[in-house]
Amino acid sequence: MKINGEHYHTIWLNENDHSVVQIIDQRFLPHKLVVEDLNSVDDVERAIREMHVRGAPLIGVAAAYGMYFAALEAPHAVEREKYIESAARKLKAARPTAVNLAWAVEQQLKLALGKVENLPNSLLKNAERLKNESIERCKKIGEFGLPLIEAIYKEKKQTVNILTHCNAGWIACIDHGTATAPMYAAHNKGIPIHVWVDETRPRNQGARITAFELQEHGVPHTVITDNAGGHLMQHGQVDMVLVGTDRTTRIGDVCNKIGTYLKALAAFDNAIPFYVGAPTSSIDLSLHSGFDIPIEERGETEVKYIQGLHEGEIKKVLLTPKDSPAANFAFDVTPAKYVTGLITEYGICKAKEEDLLKITSNNDG
Ligand code: MRU
């Protein structure tokens, strides 16, 4: 997708120096476009943990490049395996909820522990493959999700209002996004859409990042407070909810950014379809219930302080009484019964075990 008319991915290998991977540092969006160089396992681990990169598909790909750095850093012979295994553990622990992270690291680890010639090169190639596959997955989610929006438009003959939470856009992925891919596909086809963008406290991924990318692509949108969605739904202002996922279990429970569950409840109460853009890399068949998913708890400063632009400078200001404790649960679980459908790269399926097993079997061949 484009920023200021220039095409970007969120992560790329420096063409002139293959020991450097570059990322868009999302902490400064939308006010500053900062490109950061990463060139070690520790750099990648920190970038994931501190959310310079974020969004389930993107942290998976970033970690895959991290494993490439592990191979470059590893001493020879026996120690090499130990070093790479410890790098894998470190990267996986950076953020616990999105399964894409462990999924990508495990794939790299398997390759690394096998007998391959020129390990760094093999891991680099595999990271690039994972990146390209991630782009393709999102593109397909756009193609499969488009008819849902088209159908609402055909019936309504007016602008389709879509509510989204957090940022499951191209900036959370490599390109296109998951939840946003059908929105971009509809907009590009000339279907009038308008997106209600939940601000998504505490880190405001909606207000800062989703709004930024929709704005850059010319998609009409309005930022709303996290609590406004239910009211809009009651007043016929939302035709569909479309969100991403960090991990969806075997029975279709959807874990996503904190607050998603409340949107699903409100959508259910108002008979509004609730769809999830879910690449199969976010589906974890090893877990049954969503309540088995580890929910990341982050530091209290993210809740107590708020960041914005003041006189041209990005500043953080204290919001709460200085000594009030704060809790920061980063994700919640929407039970499958509230999910109308999952839009995967292989098509739309119900949030049900048999459908999920069928759709993910496409990955076996
Ligand atoms: O904590 P974040 O910003 O990494 O959380 C991101 C989300 O919850 C997204 O909705 C999810 O990763 C899907 S991204 C396509």
Side-chain angles (χ1 to χ4, degrees), residues 147-158:
L148 297 172
I149 301 175
E150 235 166 358
I152 297 172
Y153 178 58
K154 274 195 185 133
E155 188 165 331
K156 191 183 172 195
K157 296 186 181 60
Q158 278 176 25

Side-chain angles (χ1 to χ4, degrees), residues 20 22 44 55 68 70 126 131 136 149 155 168 180 184 200 222 225 283-284 346:
V20 175
Q22 295 180 293
V44 176
Y68 157 60
N126 204 40
K131 171 180 163 177
E136 276 313 302
I149 301 175
E155 188 165 331
T180 55
Y184 288 130
T200 322
T222 306
T225 59
I283 296 173
D284 183 358
Y346 300 117

Side-chain angles (χ1 to χ4, degrees), residues 124 139 155 181 194 221 243 279 363 365:
L124 173 58
K139 204 164 156 223
E155 188 165 331
H194 164 262
H221 63 281
V243 297
N363 283 329

Side-chain angles (χ1 to χ4, degrees), residues 222-291:
T222 306
V223 178
I224 51 176
T225 59
D226 285 329
N227 301 322
H231 166 78
L232 290 168
M233 290 184 209
Q234 286 174 326
H235 289 82
Q237 296 293 305
V238 179
D239 297 306
M240 135 190 235
V241 179
L242 190 40
V243 297
T245 178
D246 289 83
R247 195 186 300 223
T248 290
T249 67
R250 194 181 181 92
I251 60 164
D253 287 350
V254 170
C255 184
N256 193 49
K257 180 53 54 191
I258 191 84
T260 303
Y261 168 54
L262 294 177
K263 295 300 135 74
L265 285 180
F268 188 77
D269 192 44
N270 291 281
I272 291 164
F274 181 94
Y275 280 96
V276 180
T280 55
S281 54
S282 298
I283 296 173
D284 183 358
L285 294 177
S286 76
L287 293 185
H288 188 80
S289 161
F291 298 108

Side-chain angles (χ1 to χ4, degrees), residues 280 283 344 346-349 355-363:
T280 55
I283 296 173
T344 78
Y346 300 117
I348 299 178
C349 76
D355 291 43
L356 278 158
L357 289 176
K358 208 158 141 202
I359 210 118
T360 49
S361 70
N362 285 296
N363 283 329

